Amino acid sequence: MLSNHLQDGIETAKLMWSRIPNSEDGQFEGVGLLNSSDANAVESLDYEVIENYAYREEQAQRGKLYVGYYVAVKWFFALLIGIGTGLAAVFINISVENFAGWKFSLTFSIIQKSYFAGFVVYVLINLVLVYSSVYIITQFAPAAAGSGIPEIKGYLNGVDIHGILLFRTLIGKIFGSIGSVGGGLALGKEGPLVHTGACIASLLGQGGSTKYHLSSRWLQVFKSDRDRRDLVTCGCAAGVAAAFRAPVGGVLFALEEVTSWWKSQLMWRVFFTSAIVAVVVRTAMGWCKSGKCGHFGSGGFVIWDISDGQEDYSFGELLPMAVIGVIGGLLGALFNQLTLYITRWRRNSLHKKSIQVKVIEACLISVITSAISFGLPLLRKCSPCPEADADSGIECPRPPGMYGNYVNFYCDKDKEYNDLATIFFNTQDDAIRNLFSAKTIHEFSAQSLLTFLVMFYTLAVVTFGMAVPAGQFVPGIMIGSTYGRLIGMFVVKFYNKPNIEEGTYALLGAASFLGGSMRMTVSLCVIMVEITNNLKLLPLIMLVLLISKAVGDAFNEGLYEVQAQLRGIPLLDTRPKYQMRKMTAREACGSQKVVSFPRVVKVADVVSILRSNKHNGFPVIDHARNGETLVIGLVLRSHLLVLLQSKGDFQHSPLPCDPRAGSRSIRHSFSEFVKPVSSKGISIEDIHLSSDDWEMYIDLAPFLNPSPYVVPEDMSLTKVYNLFRELGLRHIFVVPRASRVIGLITRKDLFIEDNEDSTSTELQSTSVRAPHLDRRMFTRNMDMERPLLNGLLVQNHVPG
């Protein structure tokens, strides 16, 4: 009951905040609420097509040949996104593996003489790498901090956050990930790779970066947020495909986790992009096998082949596997809650002090992580090597700095190994590979696994939220595989069957923790199968994922949703809240006053209204001949700013003009009204007008959207919510109940033959006729029957 009341309180606070027209009236603290400093950085995207006269003229001039060219360019961009993301992933992986390889090789060579000197060198190398990462983020690209997935998820949900898709963010993400992951922090590079792919897609979509003179006009084809959204979706899938070498998993990740709108044409392009990434990564790995990539070797790209692991399982093993799912849900939910508390404390207290505090924090955590990973194995006694099996191909002990199990670290005898150093004093990819390994029963002791689980779990919680690029896929796999292998040890001892492999339970543990934390199911299941190359474990992975997600959902939301709320990203979930069932569209509008423009408006009035409020959409009204007030459309703030800046549409007369007469409607192309991606665009402070300009007028008719979406005032807020989210809208007009109906459109009215003249197409369904009026009169008077505007529903819970 307490949790239900708390959840209701949070939802009520969100709903109240969504009604606030101006975020500068006060400051708010808490999850899901933007503070005053973030309010100007968050804005909705224009996914709706603005069918003004400029758009209609452009569409009229485009024939079928241009449509084919447009589709071909989309496929070409999908190819470029796949190649670019694949090359970026190769560069990050080679750099991380080489830095880690040099670090461990140098450390292992020094500890042969002095463990203290080796410890100092190890700490210093990690400190330099982490410092380089946090310096890049704090001084060059603040938007590159974190995994970036909550921000990209918000973008694809319709929320634009300044700076998340800029060129400097891409550079900061790449080089920051190299420093943070190479520095041995308890984080991964897979989440940042998703953000990297999205940045590459966005930059290609806008033709490059004009600020850094890296743009090309022939690439500037996609001008609308709608097309850029599809490209960013391809980039997200490409990032997952490059991170895990899982092209199908990348497609499903984009479908299940990040995107809010999906269509079959986009599915094909996303699949094509992921396939290109797989080819690029595969080619790079083949080239690196010749020894041209330094320490890269067989590591770097996440691939843990356990095809030689457990082939069958008994019915009695399902119970411990279900226990793994329960543990994953509990630990995953706890992880989300702890990171929420710590990240909130960082944002509200620690990081507000100065940028130097972020740098000091990252360096301090780096030193602590290095001390733990180096010092804890020194406290662990070495174990004797198992009897050698010539067919297994496993060497014990492993020479220092070499890939494989059984690390010889601080051991007195030659035939001994340190099991804690095998997973702690190692790269994360190699540590996971060791935990997943088959035919290595009793390699790790229960004490070592428990020690690693507690310490690494704590480090992952503390590290998440620092001012460095940080992903949680690989740390989550490490945490889950640790307790999974621990349970596998007890299962092996209890059942005493030779076919049971501890590595299989480690894999199930990794899947359970990711499912309990991130709450992904289908995509995560496919990713785990692709990276382990073992299709036989698919039913077991499905079982633990379903259990862990169900357990985690009983406590809180997924990791990305929690972090999005904390960052003030107003995501529209797939389902409306329960409270919306009892509310209407009119109630959602509240008592806010609708700010509208007349069709012909004075320039001084436009400037005054834009300066006095932060709304991004304004209804435009006109007066009919009979004196009735009509709503003729919606004009966006960004369009008004373009008109004020160009001054080309100023007129001396306060009378409306015919937009279809002369060249009036072609002074602006539709692309001029599109705001640059991930940018603040034009502000009212950037526009300078003379005293004569203030006395001029603007006819808004050619530039407004004449067909905005309209809902009656008594429509339930649940229905409005579904309409808003599924169509990707930014504004919805709330109007009184209409008094007349001119016709009905059914499914069969939407089936129009390609060779049929659209101008002569008539509705085939039954029309609604008045007693003494025919249908032609209704059609002729259709524009005169627009109802009077009652309210405006603020879009996406952010300033319109």
Side-chain angles (χ1 to χ4, degrees):
M1 293 293 295
L2 181 60
S3 61
N4 293 336
H5 287 300
L6 180 61
Q7 186 68 23
D8 293 342
I10 294 176
E11 300 303 333
T12 304
K14 292 180 184 178
L15 192 58
M16 292 178 60
W17 172 73
S18 67
R19 302 178 184 177
I20 299 176
N22 190 349
S23 60
E24 293 182 353
D25 295 338
Q27 297 185 4
F28 300 88
E29 295 182 358
V31 180
L33 300 180
L34 288 173
N35 55 38
S36 59
S37 61
D38 294 334
N40 295 329
V42 179
E43 188 176 324
S44 291
L45 293 165
D46 294 311
Y47 288 158
E48 181 184 357
V49 178
I50 308 299
E51 295 181 338
N52 54 20
Y53 287 108
Y55 173 81
R56 292 180 177 179
E57 286 191 2
E58 284 191 9
Q59 294 298 314
Q61 295 173 2
R62 296 175 178 178
K64 291 186 176 180
L65 182 61
Y66 182 84
V67 174
Y69 165 77
Y70 194 71
V71 174
V73 171
K74 284 187 175 181
W75 283 93
F76 177 68
F77 271 57
L79 174 67
L80 294 181
I81 293 170
I83 295 175
T85 307
L87 293 178
V90 170
F91 174 74
I92 292 175
N93 279 281
I94 290 178
S95 301
V96 169
E97 285 295 309
N98 276 281
F99 277 121
W102 293 330
K103 175 181 64 179
F104 283 109
S105 296
L106 180 60
T107 303
F108 273 119
S109 63
I110 294 177
I111 62 177
Q112 303 302 321
K113 301 178 181 178
S114 172
Y115 273 90
F116 179 77
F119 168 73
V120 173
V121 171
Y122 179 74
V123 171
L124 289 178
I125 294 176
N126 285 337
L127 186 60
V128 170
L129 291 173
V130 172
Y131 176 79
S132 65
S133 176
V134 69
Y135 183 83
I136 291 173
I137 298 303
T138 54
Q139 301 295 330
F140 181 68
S147 67
I149 294 180
E151 289 81 0
I152 299 303
K153 188 173 182 177
Y155 179 88
L156 295 178
N157 194 257
V159 182
D160 188 15
I161 303 174
H162 174 64
I164 64 170
L165 295 175
L166 298 180
F167 178 73
R168 67 171 181 268
T169 303
L170 172 63
I171 299 300
K173 209 74 178 183
I174 293 176
F175 290 96
S177 299
I178 294 173
S180 60
V181 179
L185 294 177
L187 45 82
K189 56 184 178 295
E190 286 67 31
L193 269 176
V194 176
H195 194 177
T196 299
C199 289
I200 292 175
S202 177
L203 290 171
L204 287 173
Q206 62 178 337
S209 174
T210 55
K211 181 178 180 180
Y212 297 98
H213 307 289
L214 297 173
S215 61
S216 176
R217 285 189 176 181
W218 69 273
L219 288 176
Q220 297 176 359
V221 180
F222 302 106
K223 298 293 186 179
S224 66
D225 291 334
R226 197 183 191 92
D227 292 329
R228 291 170 181 167
R229 176 189 67 191
D230 294 344
L231 294 177
V232 171
T233 303
C234 293
C236 292
V240 175
F244 295 103
R245 290 180 58 198
V248 180
V251 177
L252 295 176
F253 176 83
L255 171 61
E256 179 183 7
E257 186 62 24
V258 292
T259 188
S260 299
W261 299 281
W262 196 260
K263 51 187 178 181
S264 58
Q265 299 92 333
L266 179 61
M267 168 78 81
W268 282 103
R269 286 196 296 273
V270 171
F271 185 79
F272 174 71
T273 304
S274 299
I276 295 299
V277 171
V279 172
V280 172
V281 171
R282 188 76 178 182
T283 303
M285 292 188 67
W287 181 70
C288 287
K289 286 183 179 179
S290 59
K292 299 178 181 179
C293 299
H295 290 274
F296 184 69
S298 59
F301 286 102
V302 179
I303 179 71
W304 304 295
D305 192 345
I306 60 171
S307 57
D308 56 345
Q310 185 172 337
E311 297 182 356
D312 196 9
Y313 52 91
S314 61
F315 182 79
E317 293 181 62
L318 295 180
L319 178 59
M321 292 175 182
V323 172
I324 290 178
V326 174
I327 295 175
L330 294 175
L331 291 181
L334 178 62
F335 182 87
N336 294 354
Q337 203 65 33
L338 292 177
T339 53
L340 172 65
Y341 292 149
I342 295 179
T343 306
R344 179 188 296 170
W345 172 75
R346 277 194 175 105
R347 291 171 60 88
N348 296 337
S349 301
L350 187 63
H351 289 175
K352 282 185 175 181
K353 297 179 179 179
S354 64
I355 296 179
Q356 288 75 14
V357 173
K358 298 181 180 180
V359 178
I360 296 174
E361 177 198 23
C363 294
L364 181 61
I365 293 180
S366 173
V367 173
I368 295 174
T369 303
S370 301
I372 291 175
S373 61
F374 191 98
L376 282 183
L378 298 178
L379 304 178
R380 176 65 182 166
K381 294 182 179 180
C382 293
S383 304
C385 288
E387 295 182 3
D389 186 358
D391 298 332
S392 64
I394 297 176
E395 180 182 2
C396 180
R398 173 168 67 89
M402 299 295 292
Y403 158 77
N405 299 69
Y406 303 105
V407 175
N408 186 303
F409 184 79
Y410 200 64
C411 298
D412 298 331
K413 299 180 181 179
D414 294 337
K415 287 297 182 178
E416 290 184 340
Y417 72 97
N418 191 318
D419 60 344
L420 194 55
T422 303
I423 51 177
F424 231 138
F425 192 63
N426 210 337
T427 63
Q428 293 183 8
D429 292 334
D430 287 343
I432 296 173
R433 194 173 288 108
N434 296 336
L435 290 169
F436 282 179
S437 62
K439 299 180 175 58
T440 57
I441 296 179
H442 307 305
E443 176 186 0
F444 304 99
S445 65
Q447 182 181 359
S448 296
L449 291 176
L450 281 175
T451 302
F452 177 81
L453 175 62
V454 173
M455 297 307 301
F456 193 84
Y457 190 95
T458 305
L459 289 175
V461 169
V462 174
T463 305
F464 190 80
M466 290 196 322
V468 294
Q472 281 303 311
F473 274 102
V474 169
I477 292 175
M478 290 192 67
I479 294 171
S481 58
T482 304
Y483 67 76
R485 187 157 186 127
L486 186 62
I487 294 178
M489 292 173 56
F490 291 103
V491 174
V492 170
K493 182 180 294 186
F494 181 80
Y495 286 96
N496 195 21
K497 293 182 179 180
N499 65 321
I500 298 178
E501 287 287 351
E502 297 174 2
T504 300
Y505 286 83
L507 168 65
L508 298 179
S512 69
F513 185 82
L514 292 179
S517 176
M518 300 178 183
R519 312 293 160 80
M520 295 186 298
T521 53
V522 180
S523 58
L524 183 58
C525 183
V526 174
I527 290 174
M528 297 302 294
V529 171
E530 287 187 287
I531 64 180
T532 55
N533 194 25
N534 194 334
L535 190 60
K536 298 177 182 178
L537 301 178
L538 179 60
L540 303 179
I541 296 175
M542 295 172 64
L543 173 65
V544 297
L545 281 177
L546 290 173
I547 295 175
S548 63
K549 184 182 186 302
V551 173
D553 286 339
F555 294 94
N556 50 33
E557 294 184 292
L559 178 65
Y560 299 135
E561 287 77 10
V562 170
Q563 294 299 319
Q565 291 178 1
L566 187 61
R567 287 169 170 79
I569 303 174
L571 294 178
L572 291 180
D573 297 330
T574 55
R575 294 185 302 173
K577 303 304 179 184
Y578 178 79
Q579 293 87 342
M580 293 184 178
R581 299 180 182 181
K582 305 176 183 179
M583 299 180 62
T584 63
R586 182 182 181 89
E587 293 173 348
C589 296
S591 59
Q592 60 177 336
K593 183 180 180 181
V594 178
V595 181
S596 60
F597 285 107
R599 172 178 173 175
V600 182
V601 60
K602 198 173 184 180
V603 172
D605 295 336
V606 175
V607 175
S608 175
I609 291 176
L610 293 182
R611 285 179 176 176
S612 61
N613 65 80
K614 299 296 182 181
H615 293 313
N616 284 315
F618 302 90
V620 180
I621 60 177
D622 197 8
H623 296 280
R625 296 178 180 177
N626 58 2
E628 183 182 2
T629 302
L630 301 176
V631 179
I632 62 174
L634 172 74
V635 64
L636 295 179
R637 183 187 191 92
S638 58
H639 292 195
L640 292 173
L641 292 174
V642 171
L643 297 178
L644 291 176
Q645 188 180 54
S646 65
K647 304 179 183 180
D649 294 278
F650 290 1
Q651 62 183 39
H652 295 279
S653 172
L655 300 177
C657 62
D658 185 2
R660 285 169 265 192
S663 59
R664 177 74 177 177
S665 59
I666 58 176
R667 290 185 179 180
H668 297 280
S669 63
F670 183 73
S671 59
E672 293 182 45
F673 296 104
V674 178
K675 187 191 72 172
V677 65
S678 194
S679 172
K680 294 181 179 179
I682 309 173
S683 65
I684 189 64
E685 287 76 15
D686 300 330
I687 297 176
H688 304 283
L689 301 173
S690 63
S691 57
D692 294 335
D693 294 334
W694 283 66
E695 302 299 323
M696 303 288 281
Y697 295 86
I698 304 177
D699 187 359
L700 301 178
F703 313 105
L704 55 82
N705 181 9
S707 55
Y709 285 90
V710 177
V711 299
E713 60 180 341
D714 56 350
M715 178 181 285
S716 68
L717 192 56
T718 298
K719 199 171 183 179
V720 175
Y721 184 98
N722 292 329
L723 178 70
F724 203 96
R725 188 184 188 279
E726 291 175 5
L727 296 179
L729 303 181
R730 189 173 187 181
H731 304 89
I732 288 183
F733 280 170
V734 180
V735 298
R737 173 65 64 179
S739 59
R740 308 174 77 175
V741 180
I742 65 170
L744 295 174
I745 294 180
T746 62
R747 180 184 296 268
K748 64 181 180 180
D749 299 316
L750 304 178
F751 286 91
I752 301 175
E753 300 295 334
D754 293 338
N755 57 358
E756 188 175 352
D757 186 6
S758 60
T759 59
S760 62
T761 302
E762 295 184 1
L763 298 180
Q764 301 174 8
S765 61
T766 304
S767 61
V768 179
R769 298 176 181 270
H772 303 289
L773 296 176
D774 60 7
R775 179 176 179 175
R776 288 173 295 176
M777 182 175 295
F778 275 99
T779 305
R780 184 170 58 250
N781 295 333
M782 180 172 58
D783 290 336
M784 301 297 294
E785 297 297 331
R786 294 180 180 270
L788 181 65
L789 180 71
N790 181 41
L792 183 65
L793 186 63
V794 180
Q795 80 292 354
N796 286 359
H797 294 215
V798 297

